[in-house]
């Protein structure tokens, strides 16, 4: 995952000050590439701690690792700021759809789908991720399978009181937020309750902690022409395409 994709993954979790720093980096990544942290902070007019905090929040070991990652990325994506909004958005979707061929494992999908008929399925998503969670529930209903969607932190907090070994929990999260889901995932792991995570975050913790892990390609933040506000392309469409693929493999019993 390149640095701009990582910014996209964690963007909603950043503070206002951290988002300001991220926006400056996206608009002018060369400042980080060409300068040590003190000089870059001076040029951006932010604190060195803000730059370091952003790098670490994105799971880089420090500023230097982030700096080298940006340098590698800039070589591959020289046209990021030159295309029109229309071209950039359409090309972003096209590129991600092409990437999905290599992200999705058909055997894993088939193994996962085989769990559905004998499970009580909970689809889980917070905020914008609640919409694909609901979408999967509707699809399951249409095939005659029961499902329930969990969409807020209060429901999630008390969910473990209702779970059994026949349950299957399916999480949708762009960021794969460990903070939001760690407690329930750990509970399920300890009690042999199956879990699945559908996310854009390439997280080693999640890979080891859930039964099924589905990584999907991320649509990045970009800077619209003649506009100081940065635009995050909506990733829910990628979730919905994944759900379409998932359900296409299910044959009602």
């Amino acid at each position: 995952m390149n640095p701009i994709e990582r910014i996209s993954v964690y963007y909603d979790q950043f503070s206002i000050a951290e988002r300001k720093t991220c926006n400056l980096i996206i608009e002018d990544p060369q400042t980080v590439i060409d300068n040590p942290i003190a000089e870059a902070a001076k040029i951006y007019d932010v604190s060195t701690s803000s730059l370091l905090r952003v790098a670490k929040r994105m799971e880089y070991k420090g500023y230097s690792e982030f700096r080298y990652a940006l340098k590698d990325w800039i070589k591959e994506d020289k046209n990021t700021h030159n295309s029109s909004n229309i071209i950039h958005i359409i090309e972003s979707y096209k590129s991600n759809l092409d990437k999905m061929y290599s992200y999705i494992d058909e055997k894993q999908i088939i193994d996962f789908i085989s769990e559905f008929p004998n499970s009580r399925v909970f689809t889980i998503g917070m905020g914008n991720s609640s919409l694909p969670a609901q979408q999967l529930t509707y699809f399951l209903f249409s095939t005659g399978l029961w499902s329930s969607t969990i969409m807020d932190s209060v429901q999630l907090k008390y969910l473990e009181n209702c779970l059994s070994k026949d349950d299957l929990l399916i999480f949708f999260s762009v960021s794969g937020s460990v903070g939001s889901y760690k407690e329930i995932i750990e509970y399920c792991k300890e009690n042999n309750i199956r879990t699945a995570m559908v996310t854009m975050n390439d997280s080693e913790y999640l890979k080891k902690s859930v039964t099924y892990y589905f990584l999907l390609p991320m649509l990045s933040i970009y800077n619209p022409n003649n506009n100081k506000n940065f635009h995050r392309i909506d990733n829910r469409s990628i979730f919905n395409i994944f759900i379409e693929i998932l359900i296409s493999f299910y044959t009602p019993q």
Side-chain angles (χ1 to χ4, degrees), residues 57-143:
R57 286 284 295 275
M58 291 187 291
E59 299 185 5
Y60 290 105
K61 293 178 182 177
Y63 178 79
S64 294
E65 186 180 27
F66 176 50
R67 184 181 178 186
Y68 290 128
L70 267 178
K71 186 177 181 179
D72 289 340
W73 168 76
I74 206 75
K75 292 177 184 176
E76 300 173 4
D77 197 12
K78 295 179 180 178
N79 298 317
T80 301
H81 306 295
N82 297 328
S83 61
S84 74
N85 295 355
I86 294 170
I87 292 172
H88 189 102
I89 291 172
I90 292 173
E91 289 300 321
S92 292
Y93 277 114
K94 286 171 61 179
S95 173
N96 269 36
L97 288 175
D98 288 339
K99 288 178 184 177
M100 285 186 77
Y101 289 114
S102 61
Y103 275 69
I104 296 176
D105 182 334
E106 184 172 324
K107 183 180 183 303
Q108 186 188 26
I109 292 281
I110 293 170
D111 289 344
F112 181 49
I113 283 291
S114 69
E115 302 270 18
F116 285 23
N118 301 313
S119 302
R120 188 172 61 154
V121 177
F122 294 90
T123 64
I124 300 166
M126 303 295 158
N128 284 344
S129 297
S130 67
L131 296 176
Q134 288 178 293
Q135 183 74 4
L136 179 55
T137 287
Y138 295 147
F139 269 111
L140 293 176
F141 280 165
S142 72
T143 62

Side-chain angles (χ1 to χ4, degrees), residues 4-248:
I4 304 306
E5 288 174 334
R6 289 200 190 193
I7 289 174
S8 300
V9 164
Y10 293 104
Y11 197 76
D12 288 340
Q13 299 177 35
F14 288 143
S15 67
I16 293 173
E18 289 167 344
R19 288 187 189 186
K20 176 189 172 185
T21 300
C22 288
N23 292 348
L24 291 166
I25 293 168
I26 296 169
E27 188 172 15
D28 178 22
Q30 202 65 43
T31 289
V32 171
I33 293 167
D34 292 342
N35 295 280
I37 190 168
E39 288 300 315
K42 186 176 179 180
I43 293 168
Y44 286 145
D45 192 23
V46 299
S47 66
T48 55
S49 60
S50 180
L51 275 174
L52 184 59
R53 192 163 55 246
V54 164
K56 289 191 171 181
R57 286 284 295 275
M58 291 187 291
E59 299 185 5
Y60 290 105
K61 293 178 182 177
Y63 178 79
S64 294
E65 186 180 27
F66 176 50
R67 184 181 178 186
Y68 290 128
L70 267 178
K71 186 177 181 179
D72 289 340
W73 168 76
I74 206 75
K75 292 177 184 176
E76 300 173 4
D77 197 12
K78 295 179 180 178
N79 298 317
T80 301
H81 306 295
N82 297 328
S83 61
S84 74
N85 295 355
I86 294 170
I87 292 172
H88 189 102
I89 291 172
I90 292 173
E91 289 300 321
S92 292
Y93 277 114
K94 286 171 61 179
S95 173
N96 269 36
L97 288 175
D98 288 339
K99 288 178 184 177
M100 285 186 77
Y101 289 114
S102 61
Y103 275 69
I104 296 176
D105 182 334
E106 184 172 324
K107 183 180 183 303
Q108 186 188 26
I109 292 281
I110 293 170
D111 289 344
F112 181 49
I113 283 291
S114 69
E115 302 270 18
F116 285 23
N118 301 313
S119 302
R120 188 172 61 154
V121 177
F122 294 90
T123 64
I124 300 166
M126 303 295 158
N128 284 344
S129 297
S130 67
L131 296 176
Q134 288 178 293
Q135 183 74 4
L136 179 55
T137 287
Y138 295 147
F139 269 111
L140 293 176
F141 280 165
S142 72
T143 62
L145 291 172
W146 182 90
S147 178
S148 179
T149 302
I150 305 297
M151 296 182 290
D152 67 58
S153 57
V154 176
Q155 288 178 307
L156 187 63
K157 180 179 179 181
Y158 292 110
L159 180 60
E160 65 183 56
N161 296 334
C162 313
L163 295 177
S164 70
K165 291 184 179 180
D166 292 328
D167 294 337
L168 172 62
L169 279 63
I170 306 173
F171 299 89
F172 289 88
S173 175
V174 171
S175 65
S177 174
V178 174
S180 299
Y181 298 125
K182 185 173 183 178
E183 186 175 336
I184 188 71
I185 286 173
E186 292 291 342
Y187 175 85
C188 290
K189 188 176 180 180
E190 291 170 7
N191 291 276
N192 297 315
I193 297 168
R194 294 154 300 162
T195 54
M197 174 64 75
V198 187
T199 184
M200 279 85 174
N201 185 4
D202 191 6
S203 166
E204 290 301 321
Y205 167 78
L206 290 173
K207 288 177 187 177
K208 296 174 183 177
S209 300
V210 297
T211 316
Y212 297 94
Y213 176 80
F214 298 99
L215 178 66
L216 300 179
M218 157 68 69
L219 288 160
S220 296
I221 288 173
Y222 80 104
N223 183 197
N225 290 338
N226 302 315
N227 190 339
K228 292 184 178 180
N229 296 315
F230 286 78
H231 179 68
R232 178 174 178 174
I233 305 175
D234 197 330
N235 283 280
R236 286 173 296 181
S237 58
I238 304 301
F239 281 145
N240 289 339
I241 291 167
F242 173 78
I243 291 168
E244 289 278 2
I245 293 169
L246 196 67
I247 294 300
S248 73

